[in-house]
Amino acid sequence: MVALSFGFTVAHAQDSNAVVIKNFMFSPMSITVKAGSTVTWKNLDGEPHTVVNDAGLFRSAALDQNDSFQFKFDKAGVYKVFCGIHPNMRETITVQ
């Protein structure tokens, strides 16, 4: 039962616009969501990371391991995201 619940949770997390921060990368590096969707980033690295929109729309505090940050995307568009601590970490969020 636990294995089945875990499998469902992982699939459900992917369906609910989850982004994992691990190995100094956003995964997935590109995601498409519907307008009105909330994206959740979770840091699984042992180092802190931030989630920053290059246009200044949002910026998380430093996320320690297992911390998460959420943002609701109300408007269609392409949003560039990076880590303010490690600017080489980049991601694109496309909102339809």
Side-chain angles (χ1 to χ4, degrees), residues 21-26 42-52 60-65 67 69 82-89:
I21 303 170
K22 187 169 178 158
N23 298 323
F24 290 82
M25 294 179 64
F26 292 106
K42 184 170 183 177
N43 182 15
L44 298 182
D45 273 344
E47 296 291 324
H49 296 291
T50 62
V51 179
V52 183
S60 74
L63 303 175
D64 289 325
Q65 191 171 30
D67 284 349
F69 172 74
F82 67 97
C83 172
I85 301 169
H86 310 100
N88 58 320
M89 293 173 54

Side-chain angles (χ1 to χ4, degrees), residues 1-16 18:
M1 183 73 165
V2 172
L4 292 175
S5 296
F6 178 74
F8 176 77
T9 302
V10 171
H12 183 68
Q14 290 171 350
D15 292 341
S16 63

Side-chain angles (χ1 to χ4, degrees), residues 31-89:
I31 188 173
T32 300
V33 300
K34 295 185 185 302
S37 296
T38 298
V39 175
T40 302
W41 291 264
K42 184 170 183 177
N43 182 15
L44 298 182
D45 273 344
E47 296 291 324
H49 296 291
T50 62
V51 179
V52 183
N53 169 246
D54 67 350
L57 185 60
F58 56 85
R59 179 185 189 98
S60 74
L63 303 175
D64 289 325
Q65 191 171 30
N66 295 317
D67 284 349
S68 61
F69 172 74
Q70 293 185 322
F71 185 80
K72 184 176 180 181
F73 290 88
D74 290 323
K75 296 182 181 178
V78 176
Y79 299 83
K80 301 291 185 180
V81 176
F82 67 97
C83 172
I85 301 169
H86 310 100
N88 58 320
M89 293 173 54

